[in-house]
Amino acid sequence: MKNQQIHNVHFNLIYFFIALVLIIYEISSSIFIYLPVFYGVFFCYMFFLLEQKERTLYELDFRWYFCLFFLFFTDVTHNFFIFSSWIAFFIFYYFFAYWIKTNLKMEKFIPITFVLCAYSFIYIIDLIFSYIAKQDLKFFGIEYFYSLVAESFIAYILFRNKI
C-alpha cells in the first residue's frame, strides 16, 4: 500500500514538472516568435483524452484540466481573445473531429489534419471576435506557418496510432 502511494506521488510530480516546463516554454514562445505555440498538439491530446474517457468510462483528470488551462494561458500570452481556443476546440470536437476521423482514408495523417483544423478554427474564431469588437483583424505571420509545420510533425509522431 505504501509503495502505491509513493508511486502516485512520483507520478503526480512528473505531471507537475511537465506542466511547469510547458508553462515556461509557452512564455518563451511568446518572446521568441519562431517556437511552436502547441495549439494543434493540445487539440490532438484533448481529443485523445476524450476518446479515452469514452472507452474506459473514467472521469477526466488533471491532464484535461491542465489542457484547458494551457489553451487559456496560450490565448493570453499570444494576444488572442480569451477562450477563443476553447470555443474553437469544442466546435472542432463536436462538429468535425469524428467526421475527419471516419472519412479520412489515410489514418496516419489524422493528427496533421487536426493541427491544421486547430489553427484554422482558432484563426476564424479570433477573426469573428475581432470583427465584433471592431478591432483590427489579426493576420497570421510566417511564424505561425513554422509553428504549424513543426506541430504537424510533432503531432504525427505522438498521435499517429493513437487517434
Side-chain angles (χ1 to χ4, degrees), residues 7-73:
H7 178 70
N8 286 340
V9 169
H10 178 68
F11 194 63
N12 291 336
L13 286 176
I14 289 173
Y15 279 143
F16 178 76
F17 178 72
I18 290 170
L20 186 64
V21 167
L22 284 171
I23 289 170
I24 292 169
Y25 172 83
E26 199 58 40
I27 293 169
S28 300
S29 75
S30 69
I31 298 168
F32 305 107
I33 61 173
Y34 291 106
L35 293 175
V37 181
F38 286 150
Y39 274 129
V41 172
F42 272 83
F43 269 46
C44 290
Y45 188 56
M46 290 170 71
F47 180 80
F48 170 76
L49 289 175
L50 289 173
E51 271 196 330
Q52 187 180 37
K53 176 188 173 263
E54 289 177 11
R55 276 194 318 271
T56 61
L57 299 177
Y58 289 135
E59 292 296 319
L60 294 170
D61 58 2
F62 167 77
R63 299 172 297 169
W64 170 257
Y65 297 107
F66 176 75
C67 289
L68 289 175
F69 169 75
F70 186 82
L71 290 178
F72 171 79
F73 188 71

Side-chain angles (χ1 to χ4, degrees), residues 1 5 19 30 66 71 74 88 97 113 118 120 124 129 145 160-161:
M1 180 73 173
Q5 290 174 342
S30 69
F66 176 75
L71 290 178
T74 304
T113 307
S120 300
I124 290 168
F129 285 158
F145 175 74
R160 70 176 162 222
N161 295 325

